[in-house]
Amino acid sequence: MSVFVFIIIIVALVTFGEVAQKWFAARPSPTPVEPGRDDEIERLREHVSLLASQVDQLTEEQRFMTRLLEGGGLAGGAPSDESRPEGRPDSRLRGPS
């Protein structure tokens, strides 16, 4: 019985390989960029780069806040609550203006 299962698995793998190969070969190639659209593509690349840097900045801010909430304290030896005047929060904890 195990020989039949083995043969069925081999036939299925070979068939799947042939179907996958034909499917990849039949896919249309990417369309070339129209000559007048290079500036639009460059602008999109700049926007994507800007978004990536903003995501990196948000990630760093999230790590910082996570360290604060876990009790790791402020990086760089910031003054403790006792050294600040009453009711005046640390200005470094405020978000960008």
Side-chain angles (χ1 to χ4, degrees), residues 11-34:
V11 169
L13 287 174
V14 169
T15 304
F16 177 75
E18 290 178 9
V19 169
Q21 183 180 14
K22 288 180 182 178
W23 183 73
F24 281 119
R27 289 190 334 185
S29 62
T31 57
V33 178
E34 296 174 13

Side-chain angles (χ1 to χ4, degrees), residues 48-64:
V48 168
S49 176
L50 178 64
L51 284 172
S53 65
Q54 289 175 348
V55 167
D56 287 341
Q57 182 181 1
L58 287 172
T59 303
E60 288 300 319
E61 290 173 2
Q62 183 180 16
R63 286 184 191 140
F64 176 75

